[in-house]
Amino acid sequence: MEEHPARLELEKQWFTAADLAGLPGVPGTARNVTSKAKREGWLFQMRKGRGGGREYALTTLPPETRQAILKQQVKEQALVESPPITTPLEQQTVFQLKDWQRTVMDAKLAILRYLDRLITEEGGVNQGIAMLEQLTTDGMLPKRLRSRIPEALGGNKTDLKTRTLKRWRKQYQEGGAAALAPAPRDRSGEPAWGAELVKRYRQPTRLPLTDVLREMDDDGFTPMPKSYDQALRYLKNKVGTVELHRGRVSHGELTAIKPHARRDISDLVPMQILAGDGHSSYALAAHPETGKPYLPEITQIVDIATRKTIGIDFSMTENHIAVCGALQMATRVGGRPAILQWDRGRGAKNKVMEGDITGMSDRVGFAFYHARAYTPQANGVVERNHQTVLIPAAKTLSSYIGRRSKNPDLLREVKKKIRKG
């Protein structure tokens, strides 16, 4: 009987200086190994190798060297004599499937099992598939099987096609039940163009997606999205709404997109919390000194509990005089407020309102709070009041020019009326 060649190699008893170099107990080079052998008397168990060189017996080597060689031989022998334990490919794959993959696989397998019965009864593959299609169309399939068809098709479809059934049978015959499972979805990686697309889309210029894609293509960026729809799906489904609009819209608009909690004012009483703000008028008025048309500043104070405007003042610009005028009217109507909230504009955030002892907040006796910068939602009651009260009132005047004078035709018409008196 011929001996296994690997076993001959593992039972090696003679070693050259090059084989021993670097092992525990011997030098790191073949030349120094030879010198050590001469000094320590390895030569009495020495033989000539195949190329004429010297080989030293395992028994004459230092103890730590022999131990290292024997350990290595034991490891190699275990690899030769103990082949790796293998399991069928189908079994290994099925155990690695996720729940949604296993559901689809089980549904397809149930349909194929029923199809095998029809093939046997009808006497052929084509006849069995035709019968299955007919039963599906007529709604004569067993109830348990009808519910598995949408799962097998991966959607709301309920019609089984001949080519689909033949493909499933071929997959099952070639790869077993595991071959019927759909491929895993790769959700870990991002497309190579994703970061660049988001970066360009989030610019303050608010370019449409078509222009963003055109810019990327003109700059020679590769790879590109396959289509506009693919880029749009990525922005809608893979990027959060807040992150998508960060940088594209202002801080105040971004705050409106973020999750927030609405304040409950059901327990408030009148004059407990007042909110004030100044806003430019949408109707021109004659300047009291020059007579020329200008937009006056309207300062109003609203009671949060009742949503009524209880203080109002007209001035040329936003200043502390207008704020004090509106506050004076509010205190005459309702008395002393407990809390007054205002934005951080120069008309309210000054020493006249907040100065120690002499400030209006200390003299009248109310707490004065300022909303955070770039958060108009914090003073939303007054901001909304501009839309529901001031603008409709301005529209009743013949000098109404529109929001922030953005209607040039209307502005030109109003100025013509003013010139005519």
Side-chain angles (χ1 to χ4, degrees):
M1 181 177 178
E2 184 179 359
E3 193 171 1
H4 198 284
R7 181 175 292 278
L8 291 176
E9 182 66 24
L10 292 176
E11 294 178 353
K12 182 178 179 180
Q13 297 293 324
W14 296 87
F15 303 89
T16 64
D19 295 336
L20 298 173
L23 292 177
V26 294
T29 62
R31 182 176 180 178
N32 292 337
V33 170
T34 303
S35 301
K36 182 178 179 65
K38 291 179 180 180
R39 292 194 309 268
E40 298 184 1
W42 298 1
L43 300 180
F44 71 92
Q45 291 190 23
M46 182 185 68
R47 72 176 187 179
K48 289 186 178 182
R50 297 177 183 177
R54 297 174 179 176
E55 291 183 344
Y56 304 98
L58 178 63
T59 56
T60 192
L61 300 178
E64 57 270 26
T65 307
R66 292 199 306 269
Q67 186 177 6
I69 293 175
L70 291 175
K71 285 183 178 180
Q72 183 63 27
Q73 287 183 349
V74 170
K75 291 181 180 179
E76 294 177 355
Q77 188 69 34
L79 293 177
V80 173
E81 294 182 350
S82 303
I85 300 175
T86 59
T87 55
L89 178 61
E90 175 188 346
Q91 185 178 6
Q92 292 183 14
T93 309
V94 168
F95 288 149
Q96 298 171 357
L97 294 178
K98 296 182 179 179
D99 292 342
W100 68 273
Q101 291 176 293
R102 193 184 300 273
T103 300
V104 177
M105 180 194 70
D106 293 341
K108 292 180 180 179
L109 195 59
I111 295 173
L112 290 181
R113 293 279 189 262
Y114 189 77
L115 178 60
D116 290 340
R117 290 173 50 188
L118 295 178
I119 291 174
T120 303
E121 294 174 359
E122 299 296 326
V125 176
N126 293 331
Q127 293 84 345
I129 293 177
M131 178 57 66
L132 181 58
E133 291 180 351
Q134 185 64 36
L135 293 174
T136 305
T137 304
D138 297 341
M140 300 299 293
L141 283 177
K143 183 177 179 180
R144 60 176 178 79
L145 199 61
R146 289 200 303 268
S147 62
R148 308 305 297 272
I149 294 179
E151 296 178 352
L153 295 175
N156 296 325
K157 300 179 180 179
T158 57
D159 51 339
L160 292 171
K161 302 295 184 181
T162 301
R163 61 178 181 272
T164 303
L165 294 170
K166 287 186 175 181
R167 184 178 73 250
W168 291 353
R169 292 189 79 248
K170 183 178 179 180
Q171 291 173 347
Y172 179 72
Q173 292 170 357
E174 293 179 354
L180 299 174
R185 301 167 184 166
D186 184 13
R187 298 180 180 271
S188 57
E190 292 287 333
W193 44 263
E196 184 67 19
L197 178 66
V198 174
K199 176 183 176 181
R200 292 175 181 256
Y201 186 80
R202 285 167 44 170
Q203 296 302 316
T205 51
R206 302 192 185 187
L207 289 176
L209 181 57
T210 52
D211 293 345
V212 173
L213 295 175
R214 187 180 299 111
E215 280 191 356
M216 292 176 61
D217 189 35
D218 293 342
D219 293 343
F221 183 82
T222 54
M224 287 283 294
K226 295 181 180 179
S227 63
Y228 171 87
D229 292 335
Q230 185 185 21
L232 183 61
R233 284 195 302 271
Y234 174 79
L235 293 179
K236 285 187 174 181
N237 302 331
K238 299 296 184 180
V239 185
T241 304
V242 176
E243 292 302 320
L244 182 62
H245 289 84
R246 191 184 300 277
R248 186 177 173 90
V249 301
S250 65
H251 188 277
E253 293 173 304
L254 188 65
T255 304
I257 300 174
K258 292 180 179 179
H260 61 278
R262 294 189 178 274
R263 294 174 178 172
D264 183 15
I265 63 171
S266 59
D267 295 335
L268 294 181
V269 296
M271 298 302 296
Q272 187 173 358
I273 299 179
L274 303 183
D277 190 22
H279 207 280
S280 177
S281 172
Y282 296 113
L284 291 172
H287 196 280
E289 297 179 358
T290 64
K292 294 183 179 181
Y294 85 108
L295 292 175
E297 181 76 11
I298 302 177
T299 304
Q300 60 176 337
I301 295 178
V302 178
D303 177 61
I304 299 299
T306 60
R307 304 297 180 94
K308 293 185 179 296
T309 301
I310 60 175
I312 193 167
D313 186 89
F314 295 87
S315 60
M316 298 180 185
T317 59
E318 181 183 358
N319 51 44
H320 66 280
I321 299 177
V323 175
C324 290
L327 180 60
Q328 182 185 32
M329 180 178 178
T331 54
R332 286 180 177 178
V333 172
R336 184 180 63 183
I339 297 174
L340 178 60
Q341 179 176 303
W342 217 284
D343 58 17
R344 294 177 176 268
R346 60 184 179 180
K349 195 171 179 60
N350 50 55
K351 292 183 178 180
V352 174
M353 298 300 298
E354 300 180 289
D356 294 339
I357 302 175
T358 59
M360 293 297 296
S361 60
D362 286 348
R363 293 169 61 188
V364 178
F366 59 86
F368 203 24
Y369 293 98
H370 295 285
R372 289 185 301 174
Y374 305 107
T375 55
Q377 294 82 6
N379 213 16
V381 175
V382 180
E383 297 288 345
R384 185 61 182 172
N385 202 41
H386 297 324
Q387 309 295 326
T388 58
V389 177
L390 296 186
I391 295 180
K395 287 182 178 181
T396 63
L397 303 176
S398 59
S399 60
Y400 174 74
I401 62 172
R403 180 175 175 81
R404 300 183 186 274
S405 307
K406 288 185 178 180
N407 190 336
D409 296 332
L410 183 59
L411 179 61
R412 185 165 49 251
E413 185 70 21
V414 170
K415 288 184 176 180
K416 185 185 298 185
K417 292 180 181 180
I418 293 176
R419 284 195 299 269
K420 292 181 179 180

